[in-house]
Amino acid sequence: MDSTESQSLLAEMTWQEAETAFDEADFVVLPCGATEQHSTHLPTSVDSIRAENLTAELAAAAPEHDLNLLVLPVLPYGYSEHHINYAGTVSLGADTYQEIIIDVGRSVQRHGATRFLVANFHGGNIEPHKLALDRLQRDHGLDSYYAHWTDFARDQLEERFGTEWGHAGEYETSVIEHYRPELVHGDRKTPQTKKNRYEVRQYAHFDDLTVEGGLGDPTQSDPEFLEEVIEATTERILTHLRSELE
């Protein structure tokens, strides 16, 4: 970790340093992950590993865009009820999760934050996030922003991996191979077996969709390509954030 990254992390600051950091930050960022199953070859911490490392990429590159990001500790639990049938999944209720996001936003606002960015790395969090940020913006007057990281990378990912690269598939396997390769069970990587495809009906749990717990084909992971995606996606998100200040 370089000194620039360290200076952006609230968890490593004293309260006096935090006081200054809140005053100077253009955005206070909450990285949101999850603790849930990711098939038989990846750990339950996939989304939180993505949250920590990909948000760190944003903070490190922010000065190049004349931005200062203050990064909060990763929130490692999310709304993962659809994965609860798999051991290791820990889920917050949707209402509980919304209230946590609101309380974090209210806390940083009290310390001087004027712009609150939720950086999300788990699809199940999206709807609770939108409701929580709506309340922060409307009821508490905190300018609130949202970046679901994968949305900014989707075109590149689909061009390389097609449209079936979802949960624990090519993309997420590539990310963990890039940042934490020792956590990938390479001998267990296998094309994921799809059970059902629901076009209209809502599925109850993820094991309605897949045998192993994932989607896509993790044997086609490509961590070198992922480096290109990280660089381009970091640039896209920061460009959007910079435009909010102009």
Side-chain angles (χ1 to χ4, degrees), residues 45-61:
S45 57
V46 164
D47 294 340
S48 295
I49 291 171
R50 291 195 295 131
E52 177 182 4
N53 288 281
L54 295 173
T55 303
E57 301 276 2
L58 291 172

Side-chain angles (χ1 to χ4, degrees), residues 222-235:
D222 188 345
E224 292 185 2
F225 166 72
L226 210 281
E227 292 183 33
E228 301 175 18
V229 176
I230 292 169
E231 182 177 356
T233 303
T234 298
E235 177 73 16

Side-chain angles (χ1 to χ4, degrees), residues 4 43 47 78 88 111 125 136 145-146 148 150 198-199 211:
T4 301
D47 294 340
H111 299 312
N125 294 340
L136 281 170
Y145 301 82
Y146 193 60
H148 181 54
T150 308
Y198 297 126
E199 301 295 347
V211 174

